[in-house]
Amino acid sequence: MPRIDLNVPFAEKDEAKRLGARWDGERKVWYVPDGVATNVFGRWLPREPDISVRSSIYFIAQTINPCWKCGEHTSAFGFILPAGHEMLEPDDEDDDRDAWCRYDEPTIVHYVTDLLPGVVARIKAFSRHYCVDFSKTTQSSYWMNHCEHCGMKQGDFEMYCEPQGAFFPMDEHAASQIVLHEFAEPFGCNGGAVYGNHLFEYMRRA
């Protein structure tokens, strides 16, 4: 049975310890040790992400992009979903609920939050520089790229929405610089979807 990690605020760490939680100094997280009942840790148990985008298959897209701050070339990552992914949309027949709608063209997702734990594990295996941070521009926190050299945030708008951005190629050559790593497993997040001609067919499969 996989270990259960806990979301324990610093101010509540002594109480968690008293109830039997243990501290993993390497991963910097409290967890439930074997043989200890989980019911006493209810308030700290991880919640299921509240997702609005899902797919049974996804790609981690990888490319190189110059940092706007230091000018050095740094790795950049994003998520591409193939045709057949779904998004929650307002239900035309019921204003009080949403319905899953299927899309028959691929998309790039941006301003990503609430990633499924399995996807988090995958992206962390690629880079520690793609992580959640606060954006003054959007006044929100989301998963974003950071420069490998100077640590500066690399905002999603320039990468995904501006022509010639890291994930907005304008020609076949630029698209071929993007490498796609495929995972035949569930993807889920909250975020926005970018549609249009992103020349997906010219991106390289790993």
Side-chain angles (χ1 to χ4, degrees):
M1 181 175 179
R3 188 180 83 174
I4 299 175
D5 292 339
L6 302 170
N7 298 319
V8 180
F10 181 79
E12 299 174 12
K13 63 182 179 60
D14 291 337
E15 184 178 0
K17 182 179 180 180
R18 180 179 60 80
L19 291 171
R22 289 187 184 165
W23 175 249
D24 183 334
E26 182 176 343
R27 295 177 58 187
K28 309 296 184 187
V29 66
W30 289 93
Y31 67 95
V32 181
D34 290 340
V36 176
T38 60
N39 60 329
V40 298
F41 303 106
R43 81 179 94 159
W44 302 308
L45 290 173
R47 64 178 179 84
E48 281 297 310
D50 182 20
I51 65 172
S52 62
V53 184
R54 68 186 186 186
S55 180
S56 59
I57 298 173
Y58 70 97
F59 300 94
I60 291 179
Q62 180 178 6
T63 190
I64 300 293
N65 194 58
C67 171
W68 65 268
K69 181 68 173 180
C70 70
E72 294 287 340
H73 282 76
T74 182
S75 296
F77 298 89
F79 298 105
I80 292 179
L81 308 182
H85 65 275
E86 297 178 310
M87 297 186 67
L88 270 183
E89 303 285 358
D91 191 332
D92 293 336
E93 299 179 359
D94 186 346
D95 293 337
D96 294 328
R97 62 187 296 267
D98 295 329
W100 287 104
C101 298
R102 176 188 170 96
Y103 285 79
D104 293 323
E105 60 179 308
T107 186
I108 300 177
V109 290
H110 63 344
Y111 297 116
V112 169
T113 62
D114 299 306
L115 276 173
L116 290 182
V119 183
V120 170
R122 290 292 188 187
I123 192 64
K124 282 187 174 182
F126 278 87
S127 174
R128 62 185 177 87
H129 300 285
Y130 185 82
C131 56
V132 177
D133 209 338
F134 182 78
S135 166
K136 291 182 179 179
T137 303
T138 65
Q139 288 296 298
S140 65
S141 295
Y142 62 88
W143 286 84
M144 66 178 74
N145 287 281
H146 294 71
C147 178
E148 297 168 315
H149 308 282
C150 71
M152 186 57 67
K153 305 169 190 177
Q154 310 292 302
D156 273 16
F157 184 81
E158 289 76 12
M159 285 197 168
Y160 297 96
C161 304
E162 289 281 10
Q164 299 182 355
F167 296 107
F168 197 151
M170 298 301 291
D171 56 47
E172 297 173 12
H173 175 74
S176 71
Q177 303 308 301
I178 299 173
V179 178
L180 303 180
H181 305 268
E182 182 176 359
F183 297 96
E185 58 193 36
F187 176 91
C189 77
N190 266 316
V194 181
Y195 293 98
N197 184 13
H198 283 74
L199 305 172
F200 293 110
E201 65 271 26
Y202 296 105
M203 297 178 184
R204 292 183 289 129
R205 301 292 183 100

